[in-house]
Amino acid sequence: MHQTKKGTVISVLLVVLLLFQSFCADAIIISHSANGTVIADILNVRKRDTTTSDVVVTVSEGTAVTIKKTVTNSLGEKWYKIKVKVNNTSYTGYVMASFVRKKTSSMSKTPATTTQSATSSKPAKTGKYRYGNLKTNAILYRSRSKQSAIVAYLKPKTLVYAGQKKKVGRLTWYRVSTKGLSKNYSGYIQSKQIKFQTTTVKSTRYKVAFFKKKTQIYKTANSTDTIKGTASKRSDAIILGTLKVGGKKWAKVKTKLGTGYAAYSNLTPVTSTVKSTIKYEATTKKSTACRKVSCTLATNRGTIPSGTTINVLGQLTVNNTLWYKASYLKGSSTITGYVLAKNVNLSTEAAFQTALQVFPDSYRPALIQLHAAHPTWMFHPVNTGLDWNEVIANECCNGKNTIQSNCPKGGAVDAYSVPFSYLSTAAGDYDWATDTYTLRDGSNWYEANEQVVSYYIDPRNFLNEKGIFQFEALNYEATQTKDVVATMLNNTFMSGNYNVTDIATGKTAAGSYADAFMDAAATSNVSPYYLVTRVKNEVGTNGSDSTSGTLKGYEGYYNFYNIGANDSATGQAIANGLSWAKSGTTYNRPWTTPYKSIVGGASYIASLYIGIGQNTMYTQKFNVVVPTSLYVHQYMTSVTASNSYATNNYNTYSTNKILDHAYTFYIPFYNNMPAATCSLPASTGNPNCYVKSLTLKNSNNNKTINLNATFNYLTSNYTAVVANSVNKIKISAKPVSTYASVSGTGTYSLATGNNTIKVTCTAGNGSKATYTITITRQP
């Protein structure tokens, strides 16, 4: 009897030892089935239960095995005796148990909610869930009972996602999900074994940011906690602190909804303070708050009464809003903070001098000259914070910047055709072996090269009376009138009224184009002058099939802004645009009248571009202002588009004698800009200076003489060996490009020994490539 008890105790200790040995794995299922799966990358099946035993066969991850029995060797290691089939041959041997996952019928019947990932998919929510880590080794049970089936053993610090707290007897349990070695697990763990991660943080920061997209604000850093509200896209926030919960970074934020927690990845921090560089007197237009930083959510350092004299010390634009750094006297104390520029009366001269201090030195001479000629114009500096070289690298790829040229197809340079030197010869844009440029759009649009792109991106090239209008603010202003719009529409197909049948209603739709553009401006908060110019740029002064309503297959549909009119090498741009106008219900679609197209298209432009910060033609062409879509959310591909728009607008304003209106210009600058303003390339010819074939022949019998290697246009040195009887050879070469010429070909007499002959190919632009052939005439 005594011996039986002792044997029982030994058996229990052995079970405990095996139990805690299994904790070394991330999560190992306990099973009583005879089947299993290999979970190691490569697993040796050995002759005996020891790592020094001979290898019977090697199996890979996922291999199905039959477990014959479980053994524990003299070292206390747990092994399985298995049977496995490899290449139709059966093998029997031993493997360490930790590298095989057993399969059981009970596990296969586990509800789907028990195999969800703790870090991705989550169990069905029945209340507030939280992330935690295990304090110690733990057993994951099938139900809230120590007597229930065991799902897995979990090691310390394992991340769990816990919810559904319940007390059973004296024990408190949590239903949790977690991720193991090769699958996800769900079950119950005692509460004392979980250390929950903190979901709140003290306020240790004060950084202004804005939301990249609609974002839910939670009570704590927990997406199952109470939702305080949803912050809108581009709305302001102040980041007060950050923390990580379950591997995800959260921000403690102050918003219009109050203080709460939001996903940090949805926020874009911005600069909200500036150094004091100037001092100009101004007065407040109305009672205005003096904030700690440039944000309406920031701490109010005091309210400045209307008519108060203040000193403006600097300016900056935050989230498309202009702020002044200012100081004022409150009693005997000087208060310094940030006020909204719209609430301040600053003389035109003072406003100009304030802005001038922010611009780089290389911008100032041209701006001073413009200010002298047009003192009512306002110039706002936009510090993109972007590195110049990064901007150019990102804009010089994937058809983002195209330019028209007839030269690749044998045409000439003219007003609508640039020389070869403007075209990119980068990989994917040009094939040197065939002298072929990659067509990007239409019949003659090709990728512009880096120097051309740099020229058009450099704002300093356009700080003149015409070019400046690509930086014109595109918002609707009360000073913009219908009379000016009507004048801008003169001598175009929109100079009078439209009168069409609306195919959606069968009724007549009539009205003036000028009224349509004014309605579009008022509803979308977009300048009507810009809208008119945009249509003229897109469809021309005489209109096109986009505006006629008569294109076959799209009768009765209109697309004045050519939205969705994506071009391609096969054309169909107008049809693509009308298809877009015909489909969908957003932006007043389908556009079955000119009015619907003009008004609905304006809303599209406002929501997708102007409303998110691309408030000038320059930034619609080169998106350097919207952090979530830099370099990709761009309205047009033509590298000259924004400058063409500027010229058209200047001509329109000049003709209508409205050049001296109070226009506002938002002009960007970059870090590490070149000291000198970027210039366009010199006009030169085709750059290809290679030959596509090089042939040697025996002049005596016209037989071809083999070179030491197959000819390749990029290889410049070749050799050939000829018999002594070959005393004269003929060399022929053909250039890749029809614009290139070849010299050095012809008939040569050979001396005994080495003879060196050079063949030179000269490109249309004057560049050269020389091929050297060394011919050895044997003695």
Side-chain angles (χ1 to χ4, degrees):
M1 185 72 174
H2 177 73
Q3 289 178 341
T4 302
K5 287 183 178 180
K6 182 177 179 181
T8 302
V9 171
I10 292 173
S11 299
V12 171
L13 288 173
L14 180 57
V15 170
V16 172
L17 178 61
L18 290 173
L19 176 67
F20 279 90
Q21 178 192 347
S22 66
F23 285 155
C24 296
D26 192 14
I28 302 299
I29 297 176
I30 297 298
S31 169
H32 301 288
S33 169
N35 295 321
T37 303
V38 174
I39 59 175
D41 292 336
I42 298 293
L43 181 61
N44 291 325
V45 181
R46 297 185 181 275
K47 191 173 182 179
R48 295 187 179 82
D49 56 354
T50 172
T51 56
T52 60
S53 179
D54 294 338
V55 176
V56 176
V57 70
T58 299
V59 293
S60 59
E61 183 179 11
T63 300
V65 300
T66 300
I67 300 172
K68 309 296 287 183
K69 66 178 180 179
T70 302
V71 298
T72 303
N73 65 13
S74 59
L75 299 176
E77 296 171 336
K78 184 178 179 182
W79 289 69
Y80 290 144
K81 183 178 182 181
I82 66 162
K83 185 177 181 179
V84 63
K85 183 174 283 189
V86 179
N87 295 329
N88 294 320
T89 301
S90 295
Y91 298 89
T92 301
Y94 292 83
V95 295
M96 292 193 74
S98 56
F99 296 121
V100 174
R101 184 181 71 242
K102 286 185 176 181
K103 298 179 181 178
T104 67
S105 57
S106 60
M107 286 302 294
S108 64
K109 296 177 181 177
T110 302
T113 55
T114 67
T115 60
Q116 300 294 313
S117 169
T119 55
S120 54
S121 304
K122 298 166 185 176
K125 294 186 175 103
T126 54
K128 181 177 174 182
Y129 279 68
R130 291 182 63 187
Y131 284 103
N133 298 92
L134 297 183
K135 300 177 184 178
T136 62
N137 293 316
I139 298 174
L140 187 65
Y141 291 96
R142 177 78 57 217
S143 64
R144 293 181 291 270
S145 169
K146 284 187 174 183
Q147 281 70 49
S148 72
I150 296 173
V151 176
Y153 292 130
L154 304 176
K155 66 180 182 180
K157 298 184 180 180
T158 296
L159 179 68
V160 296
Y161 189 64
Q164 199 180 32
K165 178 181 177 182
K166 189 170 183 180
K167 193 167 185 178
V168 179
R170 295 183 178 182
L171 299 178
T172 301
W173 296 81
Y174 276 102
R175 183 184 178 192
V176 305
S177 63
T178 187
K179 193 168 187 178
L181 267 176
S182 56
K183 65 182 293 183
N184 306 320
Y185 302 96
S186 185
Y188 293 86
I189 288 179
Q190 294 181 52
S191 61
K192 64 182 180 181
Q193 292 176 303
I194 304 173
K195 181 180 180 181
F196 286 104
Q197 295 185 5
T198 303
T199 57
T200 59
V201 68
K202 292 182 178 180
S203 298
T204 56
R205 303 176 63 185
Y206 205 86
K207 181 70 175 178
V208 174
F210 66 84
F211 288 100
K212 300 176 185 177
K213 59 183 180 179
K214 286 184 178 181
T215 302
Q216 288 183 324
I217 308 300
Y218 297 93
K219 184 179 179 180
T220 65
N222 183 349
S223 57
T224 64
D225 203 349
T226 303
I227 297 175
K228 303 189 75 171
T230 302
S232 59
K233 183 179 180 179
R234 301 284 309 179
S235 62
D236 290 328
I238 295 178
I239 299 174
L240 302 173
T242 61
L243 72 162
K244 277 191 176 181
V245 182
K248 176 182 177 180
K249 189 173 182 180
W250 290 77
K252 181 180 182 180
V253 290
K254 181 179 181 181
T255 68
K256 289 181 179 179
L257 303 168
T259 300
Y261 291 81
Y264 187 86
S265 60
N266 290 354
L267 289 159
T268 297
V270 295
T271 300
S272 58
T273 59
V274 68
K275 291 182 179 180
S276 300
T277 55
I278 53 172
K279 190 174 183 180
Y280 292 104
E281 279 195 357
T283 56
T284 52
K285 297 179 185 178
K286 55 190 287 189
S287 178
T288 186
C290 182
R291 303 286 180 179
K292 178 180 178 180
V293 294
S294 300
C295 180
T296 55
L297 298 170
T299 302
N300 187 2
R301 288 182 167 171
T303 300
I304 311 173
S306 177
T308 302
T309 298
I310 64 174
N311 287 318
V312 173
L313 309 174
Q315 77 166 43
L316 73 164
T317 301
V318 179
N319 199 11
N320 299 324
T321 302
L322 182 64
W323 291 79
Y324 288 142
K325 183 179 184 180
S327 65
Y328 72 102
L329 282 175
K330 186 176 182 180
S332 59
S333 301
T334 299
I335 307 297
T336 301
Y338 294 83
V339 297
L340 287 167
K342 67 181 181 180
N343 295 339
V344 175
N345 271 322
L346 189 61
S347 71
T348 303
E349 182 61 30
F352 172 70
Q353 294 298 333
T354 300
L356 196 63
Q357 302 304 311
V358 182
F359 282 107
D361 292 343
S362 57
Y363 282 61
R364 294 176 187 175
L367 291 173
I368 291 170
Q369 189 173 349
L370 282 172
H371 175 65
H374 303 280
T376 56
W377 291 2
M378 297 293 293
F379 308 102
H380 290 311
V382 178
N383 183 358
T384 64
L386 302 175
D387 180 82
W388 172 262
N389 296 311
E390 173 196 324
V391 173
I392 300 304
N394 279 279
E395 288 287 354
C396 290
C397 60
N398 302 325
K400 289 179 183 176
N401 284 285
T402 60
I403 197 163
Q404 275 184 306
S405 179
N406 295 323
C407 294
K409 294 185 177 180
V413 177
D414 57 36
Y416 299 99
S417 173
V418 298
F420 280 111
S421 55
Y422 281 44
L423 306 181
S424 171
T425 54
D429 301 330
Y430 176 71
D431 185 353
W432 289 94
T434 60
D435 189 31
T436 304
Y437 290 87
T438 302
L439 191 64
R440 293 298 186 186
D441 280 325
S443 61
N444 64 348
W445 288 89
Y446 302 93
E447 192 86 21
N449 66 26
E450 182 175 320
Q451 189 174 350
V452 172
V453 173
S454 298
Y455 174 84
Y456 283 100
I457 290 181
D458 191 343
R460 297 170 297 184
N461 285 315
F462 308 101
L463 300 182
N464 52 62
E465 279 202 333
K466 291 184 179 180
I468 194 70
F469 281 96
Q470 64 188 283
F471 308 113
E472 179 189 358
L474 302 180
N475 296 110
Y476 175 56
E477 297 177 3
T479 57
Q480 296 162 344
T481 66
K482 176 183 173 181
D483 290 341
V484 173
V485 170
T487 303
M488 293 174 69
L489 294 174
N490 282 343
N491 301 316
T492 75
F493 74 101
M494 301 175 288
S495 60
N497 299 325
Y498 57 87
N499 190 311
V500 301
T501 299
D502 186 342
I503 62 172
T505 64
K507 298 180 180 179
T508 298
S512 79
Y513 281 105
D515 283 333
F517 280 106
M518 291 305 295
D519 287 351
T523 57
S524 63
N525 193 33
V526 176
S527 163
Y529 306 163
Y530 160 66
L531 294 175
V532 171
T533 302
R534 185 130 181 180
V535 171
K536 289 165 69 174
N537 281 347
E538 289 291 342
V539 301
T541 57
N542 297 320
S544 72
D545 282 338
S546 293
T547 58
S548 67
T550 60
L551 184 68
K552 187 175 180 180
Y554 298 97
E555 293 86 352
Y557 293 96
Y558 305 84
N559 192 338
F560 276 63
Y561 303 101
N562 267 343
I563 295 169
N566 302 314
D567 208 345
S568 65
T570 58
Q572 301 298 317
I574 290 177
N576 292 338
L578 290 174
S579 175
W580 194 90
K582 181 179 179 179
S583 61
T585 56
T586 56
Y587 309 110
N588 210 28
R589 286 183 294 167
W591 291 339
T592 52
T593 68
Y595 183 90
K596 289 179 181 179
S597 175
I598 291 169
V599 176
S603 295
Y604 172 90
I605 293 168
S607 63
L608 268 72
Y609 292 92
I610 298 172
I612 65 170
Q614 291 173 268
N615 189 35
T616 67
M617 279 306 299
Y618 177 93
T619 54
Q620 287 187 29
K621 172 64 199 90
F622 307 111
N623 181 15
V624 293
V625 291
V626 184
T628 55
S629 55
L630 289 173
Y631 319 121
V632 294
H633 188 262
Q634 301 180 159
Y635 187 77
M636 65 287 279
T637 58
S638 170
V639 72
T640 65
S642 58
N643 190 48
S644 298
Y645 167 88
T647 300
N648 290 341
N649 251 25
Y650 168 83
N651 291 336
T652 299
Y653 294 163
S654 180
T655 300
N656 292 287
K657 302 186 185 306
I658 56 173
L659 265 182
D660 286 317
H661 276 210
Y663 298 109
T664 300
F665 304 97
Y666 287 88
I667 308 169
F669 60 91
Y670 307 90
N671 297 331
N672 303 316
M673 293 185 72
T677 304
C678 297
S679 60
L680 287 170
S683 180
T684 58
N686 185 283
N688 199 305
C689 59
Y690 297 111
V691 299
K692 61 182 176 182
S693 65
L694 185 63
T695 305
L696 276 68
K697 288 190 176 182
N698 184 340
S699 295
N700 298 325
N701 55 20
N702 206 35
K703 287 186 177 180
T704 300
I705 298 171
N706 293 326
L707 296 172
N708 65 305
T710 302
F711 177 76
N712 183 293
Y713 73 99
L714 294 175
T715 302
S716 57
N717 290 287
Y718 296 91
T719 62
V721 178
V722 298
N724 181 260
S725 59
V726 182
N727 60 358
K728 191 178 292 186
I729 65 162
K730 182 179 180 181
I731 297 180
S732 302
K734 292 182 180 180
V736 172
S737 171
T738 57
Y739 293 96
S741 60
V742 178
S743 61
T745 56
T747 302
Y748 289 87
S749 295
L750 299 180
T752 301
N754 292 335
N755 299 262
T756 300
I757 301 170
K758 293 182 182 292
V759 174
T760 300
C761 184
T762 303
N765 67 359
S767 60
K768 296 182 179 183
T770 298
Y771 299 85
T772 302
I773 309 106
T774 301
I775 305 170
T776 302
R777 182 185 176 195
Q778 293 179 333

